[in-house]
Amino acid sequence: MKNNITKTMLLGLSVASLFSACNNQLDIVPEGAPTKANFWKTETDAISASNALYALYDQSESFYGRGLFWFINSCDDMVTGRANAQGDNMKNFNRGYIGGSYTENNWVDRFTVIKRANDIIRYVPAIDMNVGIKNRVLGEAYFNSAVMNYELAANWGDERQGVPIVTVENMDHTEAVPRAANVTENYKHAISQFKKAADLLPYFDTYQAPDQGRAHKVAAWGYLAKTYLYMKDYANAELYADSVMNYGKRKLEDNYKDVFTTSHNYGSEYIWSVTSSATGPDGWGSILPGVMLTNGGWGKYNGWGYYLPTKELYDAYETGDVRREVTILKPGDKFKYFGVETTFTPPTAALSDYQFNKYMEPFSYTDPIGKYVSPNGDHNSTSLNVPLMRYAEVVLIKAEAAISLRGAGAGDNALNMIRKRAGLGTKAGMDMTDLKNQRRCELAGEFADRHRDLIRWGDAEATYAKPLHDSQGKVIWVGRKFNPKANHVWLVPQREIDNSKGIIKQNEGW
């Protein structure tokens, strides 16, 4: 169902710099700059502040467009597609990528959301307003802050240094907040925020259409399961995965392809996604579908041609797996494009001759621009909400936690749910090898993050040493040297170190 939030949004870093805005998706038009003296007074102010938590989902490429996906592009499922110095250096684990805005804003943008959340946590409790709405607004703040803290920790923190934990208590300090002692401290902080969010937020099915796209209770449970998984606390990962699965109102879509259609944006598999729209002069939301579209879009749309699949990913699917063709286009495949059956032909300059197919549904309609595809090819969002977490990942978290706790076979029920939906037969006694393959095939090309999976499984060094190929077996990316003592985390943007006057320290080993 289409999200039509039309509330005023606040987009500033502090009360003194807040300004409200509106767009067709979240209604964005500047309307002035409230100050502490005239803001944080009413229920409308609180709702406006909660809307601002989602603004960067649209405004910044570093969020869920291509910024964060440059990190995921380092995995073996894809290659850069067309020359890009920042992306190429990242994929090769070369520190030369540092200084590039596509990647470095990932850090500052996430702390921007944390600051907005902290303002809500500080000021909203004192506002005289409807208790249910107050709880929701506070829950949204805790949830969004927790997601940011989790993503910062996963990408930049390890056992040597975590990332700064910025809270209401320390956010006004004149000196920079130093890095946490280790990443476990960050995960614990995110977990405490997810739990507060889960206590305060309503269930998704209580939202009317104007509020779909807001944080909800089951999303907090899902992220709790994933955060515990990253901590290797498998008992709690299983506990919260079970909470989602036993709730009973989330389930796998019957048809895998339906997951990636506009009509199922808020279908049964939805847990959390980037609310997106094609309407308005620029559209709204994630630009990932347009970023993955073949460069030039065959003369009909401004596809950017990044993040192209590899033969290694294509060959990971078993014969008969319906997910392969839903996920990947190869030369000669038929697909619907601008209402016409089209044969997939990659441009000769493309590094790989595959393309991700998962996000192509909005481009399938006759005259899709303005309804399904943004009129602005430089902000190429679509009507499709790009998943950040869906029910299938929760099922896979359940399976991984069960196998890690009780051994081969313990995750069979969960894994067979995934296999059956993929058109595959059931198996017994499945182990981590099966789990890794199913997680790869189910979630390829998504923000679930294959790169981080390989790191946490200890598989990155061996995997990245192997070359990557196109459909004809041609090497398109040579094997890379991955140092598991350094490259498991990314470099902190140098400007953040400089601005902190050295309080924030760089990750070691690069």
Side-chain angles (χ1 to χ4, degrees):
M1 185 174 293
K2 182 179 177 182
N3 183 310
N4 289 308
I5 297 174
T6 55
K7 310 287 186 180
T8 299
M9 298 180 61
L10 296 175
L11 308 178
L13 295 178
S14 66
V15 171
S17 64
L18 285 172
F19 65 92
S20 53
C22 59
N23 147 328
N24 185 45
Q25 190 63 24
L26 296 168
D27 260 328
I28 310 182
V29 177
E31 295 178 26
T35 66
K36 183 178 177 180
N38 62 20
F39 198 72
W40 304 113
K41 303 296 185 184
T42 68
E43 182 174 295
T44 298
D45 293 343
I47 294 171
S48 296
S50 70
N51 289 341
L53 294 167
Y54 307 99
L56 288 174
Y57 286 38
D58 169 74
Q59 292 179 326
S60 175
E61 287 185 17
S62 300
F63 240 73
Y64 302 121
R66 61 174 172 171
L68 190 63
F69 220 86
W70 283 123
F71 293 179
I72 300 169
N73 181 61
S74 299
C75 76
D76 56 334
D77 282 355
M78 62 192 78
V79 293
T80 305
R82 46 188 289 225
N84 182 290
Q86 291 178 48
D88 294 351
N89 281 327
M90 291 190 77
K91 192 166 183 70
N92 288 329
F93 309 109
N94 181 336
R95 68 172 291 123
Y97 82 85
I98 197 167
S101 61
Y102 296 159
T103 57
E104 296 211 349
N105 285 343
N106 282 287
W107 173 284
V108 68
D109 285 348
R110 280 162 176 77
F111 278 109
T112 296
V113 175
I114 291 170
K115 173 62 171 68
R116 294 174 185 177
N118 283 340
D119 281 337
I120 290 172
I121 294 165
R122 170 183 282 177
Y123 294 112
V124 165
I127 297 176
D128 183 12
M129 58 185 289
N130 177 278
V131 173
I133 295 176
K134 177 184 286 190
N135 286 342
R136 188 201 76 199
V137 167
L138 287 168
E140 289 178 272
Y142 282 118
F143 177 83
N144 279 277
S145 180
V147 172
M148 300 304 104
N149 278 294
Y150 154 75
E151 290 176 347
L152 286 161
N155 284 293
W156 284 282
D158 63 11
E159 70 284 353
R160 301 169 300 182
Q161 295 184 95
V163 297
I165 298 175
V166 180
T167 64
V168 172
E169 290 72 27
N170 66 21
M171 69 181 189
D172 294 330
H173 290 183
T174 56
E175 291 189 341
V177 177
R179 299 183 66 167
N182 52 60
V183 73
T184 300
E185 295 303 309
N186 294 110
Y187 286 143
K188 287 179 177 178
H189 177 61
I191 284 167
S192 81
Q193 291 191 308
F194 280 129
K195 287 181 176 178
K196 290 175 182 176
D199 287 342
L200 291 164
L201 287 169
Y203 289 105
F204 170 74
D205 56 306
T206 67
Y207 283 138
Q208 299 299 311
D211 288 317
Q212 289 180 328
R214 296 189 184 279
H216 58 98
K217 191 182 298 290
V218 175
W221 291 346
Y223 272 94
L224 277 164
K226 188 164 185 174
T227 307
Y228 276 122
L229 185 75
Y230 273 44
M231 288 180 68
K232 300 186 186 301
D233 182 343
Y234 299 116
N236 275 310
E238 184 175 37
L239 173 68
Y240 282 98
D242 281 340
S243 295
V244 176
M245 296 171 71
N246 293 337
Y247 170 56
K249 295 187 179 181
R250 302 286 91 198
K251 69 180 185 67
L252 297 179
E253 297 280 3
D254 294 335
N255 185 338
Y256 183 73
K257 187 175 183 179
D258 287 345
V259 176
F260 309 101
T261 59
T262 301
S263 62
H264 288 74
N265 275 342
Y266 296 109
S268 64
E269 200 152 332
Y270 165 76
I271 299 292
W272 190 235
S273 61
V274 186
T275 299
S276 300
S277 173
T279 56
D282 299 310
W284 172 272
S286 176
I287 62 172
L288 188 64
V291 171
M292 286 183 166
L293 177 66
T294 288
N295 188 23
W298 301 284
K300 295 186 176 180
Y301 196 71
N302 187 29
W304 292 7
Y306 289 122
Y307 319 136
L308 305 184
T310 61
K311 191 173 190 295
E312 283 65 30
L313 173 60
Y314 189 86
D315 290 347
Y317 292 89
E318 297 176 43
T319 300
D321 192 330
V322 301
R323 296 173 298 187
R324 187 178 64 186
E325 273 60 48
V326 173
T327 301
I328 301 171
L329 283 170
K330 68 180 185 301
D333 282 352
K334 303 291 186 182
F335 68 107
K336 190 66 71 69
Y337 187 64
F338 278 65
V340 178
E341 185 177 69
T342 304
T343 300
F344 178 70
T345 54
T348 55
L351 190 59
S352 173
D353 57 358
Y354 294 107
Q355 185 203 288
F356 277 107
N357 191 34
K358 248 176 192 177
Y359 308 118
M360 286 291 286
E361 184 256 357
F363 298 98
S364 68
Y365 300 97
T366 302
D367 299 324
I369 294 176
K371 183 176 181 181
Y372 296 100
V373 177
S374 168
N376 183 358
D378 292 327
H379 187 276
N380 40 21
S381 62
T382 71
S383 57
L384 179 65
N385 289 356
V386 174
L388 298 175
M389 177 179 288
R390 52 189 179 86
Y391 186 79
E393 184 175 7
V394 175
V395 174
L396 288 162
I397 291 171
K398 161 72 175 181
E400 183 173 347
I403 293 168
S404 299
L405 288 168
R406 296 183 291 279
D412 283 359
N413 287 341
L415 284 174
N416 280 325
M417 289 170 60
I418 300 295
R419 289 182 60 86
K420 284 191 284 187
R421 203 261 298 267
L424 303 173
T426 59
K427 292 174 63 176
M430 286 183 278
D431 59 14
M432 279 299 294
T433 299
D434 297 287
L435 179 282
K436 291 174 182 179
N437 176 259
Q438 286 306 309
R439 187 170 172 92
R440 181 183 196 181
C441 294
E442 178 71 26
L443 302 171
E446 299 183 41
F447 282 102
D449 204 335
R450 165 78 172 169
H451 175 62
R452 297 249 66 86
D453 284 345
L454 291 170
I455 290 171
R456 65 187 182 83
W457 291 330
D459 295 341
E461 184 176 17
T463 299
Y464 293 160
K466 301 173 184 177
L468 302 173
H469 302 82
D470 67 9
S471 70
Q472 303 305 305
K474 175 186 174 182
V475 173
I476 55 176
W477 209 280
V478 299
R480 299 162 283 157
K481 182 174 176 56
F482 176 89
N483 180 354
K485 296 182 179 179
N487 305 140
H488 61 299
V489 287
W490 297 107
L491 287 166
V492 176
Q494 188 60 44
R495 68 187 181 197
E496 303 302 327
I497 295 171
D498 295 341
N499 290 341
S500 77
K501 300 180 180 179
I503 291 174
I504 295 174
K505 307 296 183 184
Q506 185 58 274
N507 283 324
E508 302 170 18
W510 281 79

